């Protein structure tokens, strides 16, 4: 909010040139979107704690769930002023995979993880993907960012918490995204975790039951011979 107010006041200056106007407008837009995301996260956390979040499972194409991730990453990359690379890692036959899940919440978690990866990665890449195991599906987002010490990995899933170290404090964020994502995964009978090494990057992942849509049973047809 301070950024939005500050850059809005600068736009009033009659001496500001066109290049500065465009930059201030971009920063206002970026911070407005971040504020909106924060408000939505706070509302979702409040709903979860009040028991008002309902998981609605439907038959979802995994390819459809993931199709807009490159565009979402590109917007995050631009807004953060970075030049990271994005890639995907899907099974070869991913176009045929379907899943019973709450598609809106699955996409919300993955996008939270991508946003987190972009925020804490200065150079290199971000990769999003999934793996199918026997009875679970594992979605993941990997980055080449700053990494997280082993003794700090549990606290990042707590509300309003980030790693309390000097080289991390300069990164913006309220510390709600990971906490919210973990709660949503658990509401869908899943779990969330992280693998990370300082200076080497991180992999955030969540697993869900690999519940497939029920196929309708073929109706038997009785034929009477005459």
């Amino acid at each position: 909010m301070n950024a939005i107010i500050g850059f809005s006041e600068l736009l009033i200056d009659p001496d500001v040139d066109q290049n500065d106007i465009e930059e201030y407008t971009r920063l206002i837009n970026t911070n407005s979107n971040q504020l909106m995301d924060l408000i939505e996260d706070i509302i979702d956390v409040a709903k979860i704690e009040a028991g008002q979040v309902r998981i609605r499972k439907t038959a979802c194409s995994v390819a459809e769930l993931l199709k807009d991730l490159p565009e979402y990453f590109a917007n995050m990359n631009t807004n953060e002023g970075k030049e990271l690379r994005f890639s995907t890692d899907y099974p070869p036959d991913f176009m045929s995979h379907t899943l019973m899940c709450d598609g809106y919440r699955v996409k919300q978690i993955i996008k939270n993880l991508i946003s987190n990866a972009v925020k804490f990665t200065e150079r290199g890449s971000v990769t999003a993907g999934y793996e199918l195991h026997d009875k679970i599906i594992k979605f993941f987002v990997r980055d080449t960012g700053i990494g997280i010490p082993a003794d700090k990995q549990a606290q990042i899933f707590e509300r309003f918490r980030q790693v309390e170290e000097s080289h991390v404090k300069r990164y913006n964020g309220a510390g709600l995204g990971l906490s919210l994502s973990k709660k949503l995964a658990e509401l869908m009978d899943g779990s969330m975790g992280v693998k990370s090494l300082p200076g080497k990057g991180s992999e955030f992942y969540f697993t869900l039951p690999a519940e497939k849509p029920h196929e309708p049973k073929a109706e038997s047809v009785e034929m009477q011979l005459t």
Side-chain angles (χ1 to χ4, degrees):
M1 180 59 75
N2 287 334
I4 294 170
I5 294 172
F7 288 115
S8 297
E9 291 176 347
L10 288 174
L11 285 176
I12 301 174
D13 187 344
D15 296 326
V16 64
D17 63 36
Q18 184 61 37
N19 289 335
D20 286 338
I21 289 175
E22 293 176 0
E23 178 64 10
Y24 296 161
T25 302
R26 184 188 70 80
L27 290 169
I28 290 171
N29 182 65
T30 297
N31 283 277
S32 296
N33 288 331
Q34 290 176 348
L35 181 59
M36 182 61 69
D37 289 343
L38 174 59
I39 292 171
E40 290 176 352
D41 283 351
I42 291 173
I43 291 172
D44 276 341
V45 169
K47 285 183 177 180
I48 289 173
E49 293 186 345
Q52 295 179 352
V53 170
R54 297 290 179 264
I55 299 301
R56 296 175 175 84
K57 289 186 177 182
T58 59
C60 298
S61 162
V62 179
E64 284 295 310
L65 289 177
L66 305 176
K67 70 177 183 179
D68 61 342
L69 295 188
E71 180 180 358
Y72 180 78
F73 168 83
N75 291 333
M76 287 297 306
N77 202 23
T78 299
N79 290 340
E80 292 286 338
K82 297 180 179 179
E83 297 181 355
L84 304 175
R85 300 183 304 277
F86 181 72
S87 62
T88 56
D89 184 2
Y90 305 150
D93 55 344
F94 78 97
M95 292 296 294
S96 65
H97 292 162
T98 56
L99 183 69
M100 287 298 296
C101 66
D102 188 324
Y104 173 79
R105 296 302 182 182
V106 171
K107 287 193 287 187
Q108 182 179 5
I109 295 173
I110 296 174
K111 288 180 177 180
N112 270 342
L113 297 184
I114 290 176
S115 174
N116 191 69
V118 172
K119 184 186 305 179
F120 291 100
T121 303
E122 291 300 323
R123 60 183 62 86
S125 63
V126 174
T127 300
Y130 75 96
E131 301 169 351
L132 275 175
H133 299 279
D134 183 23
K135 294 183 179 180
I136 64 169
I137 182 169
K138 174 186 174 184
F139 294 95
F140 59 81
V141 174
R142 300 173 181 142
D143 63 62
T144 58
I146 61 175
I148 307 163
D151 61 340
K152 303 291 185 181
Q153 291 177 13
Q155 76 179 44
I156 61 175
F157 293 107
E158 299 173 10
R159 284 187 304 166
F160 304 110
R161 291 292 296 273
Q162 288 186 342
V163 178
E164 298 293 335
E165 297 200 5
S166 58
H167 68 293
V168 177
K169 290 181 180 179
R170 64 190 179 93
Y171 295 95
N172 293 325
L176 272 180
L178 291 177
S179 173
L180 172 61
S181 296
K182 185 173 185 292
K183 290 180 183 295
L184 289 174
E186 291 170 348
L187 282 176
M188 292 187 285
D189 300 317
S191 62
M192 176 168 282
V194 60
K195 301 175 184 176
S196 185
L197 289 173
K200 299 293 185 180
S202 302
E203 175 186 293
F204 284 89
Y205 62 89
F206 66 102
T207 61
L208 298 176
E211 181 182 354
K212 296 182 179 180
H214 298 293
E215 295 183 1
K217 295 181 179 179
E219 295 182 1
S220 60
V221 178
E222 294 184 0
M223 297 181 65
Q224 183 175 0
L225 299 177
T226 57

